[in-house]
Amino acid sequence: YAYVVDGPRTNIYLCTVNSDGTLSNGCIVQGSGYDYPEHVTVLGSTLYAADQGSPGGGEVTVCNISSTDGTLSGCFVTASAGGLNYASGVALGGDFGYVATDNNGLFTCAFDSIAGALTNCAVAATSSSVSDAWNVVISGGIAYFANAESGLTACAIGSGGDLSSCTDSSLGGGTPPMATGVDVNGGRAYVSTWDMMFGNADVELCPISGLTVSACGVAVSDGSDSGFS
């Protein structure tokens, strides 16, 4: 299954993935309680949606995933009073979680892996500015951020979620595009981008090894000004 976010309509769709990687027609709206979701992450049998919310708002919606058919149920809102102004991404590790926001930077929250709740959210302690992080993923003890200003940022994760030894890697082009999303698969990071000046939307492929990020290059382009996220 795949979950597809439709922020403007405040929906998350459940789609069947075909053997060739394409998505079947007839994706079905799942769950409820979202407030303009931007990105989702899945941990075990739970889905977490970063909701941008109304101006000044921001929260994370948590839903149970059915092991039978992937449907979502029992959704509830957490971190709604955490100061998450336009939450745009969430990643979880151990007893803490990160929530990226469009307006207020990166937050670290206490994470209850049993209840699924995020509490005590505060601006993340870091040796480098990730104030423009729009999405975040954790892999191998490293946090990778889609940084709207500087491209792809990689930071070592310390106890309690503190970040250190952060490095920034620029994305391709003479006018570096805005990084809007990131995911990791094996030794590769895939970064979605949007170039506001030229109206290009790309997904860039960046080879990674811990904190080391090699030269990024365009993996796919949609040739429009819609922007991937």
Side-chain angles (χ1 to χ4, degrees), residues 133-186:
W134 277 28
N135 199 12
V136 54
V137 64
I138 296 173
S139 178
I142 306 296
Y144 298 93
F145 303 95
N147 201 322
E149 291 296 327
S150 58
L152 179 63
T153 299
C155 301
I157 302 173
S159 60
D162 289 353
L163 302 172
S164 62
S165 304
C166 298
T167 60
D168 293 327
S169 298
S170 297
L171 302 175
T175 56
M178 176 187 296
T180 58
V182 60
D183 206 351
V184 169
N185 185 15

Side-chain angles (χ1 to χ4, degrees), residues 77-96:
V77 170
T78 188
S80 58
L84 310 177
N85 195 354
Y86 291 107
S88 55
V90 57
L92 306 164
D95 57 358
F96 63 88

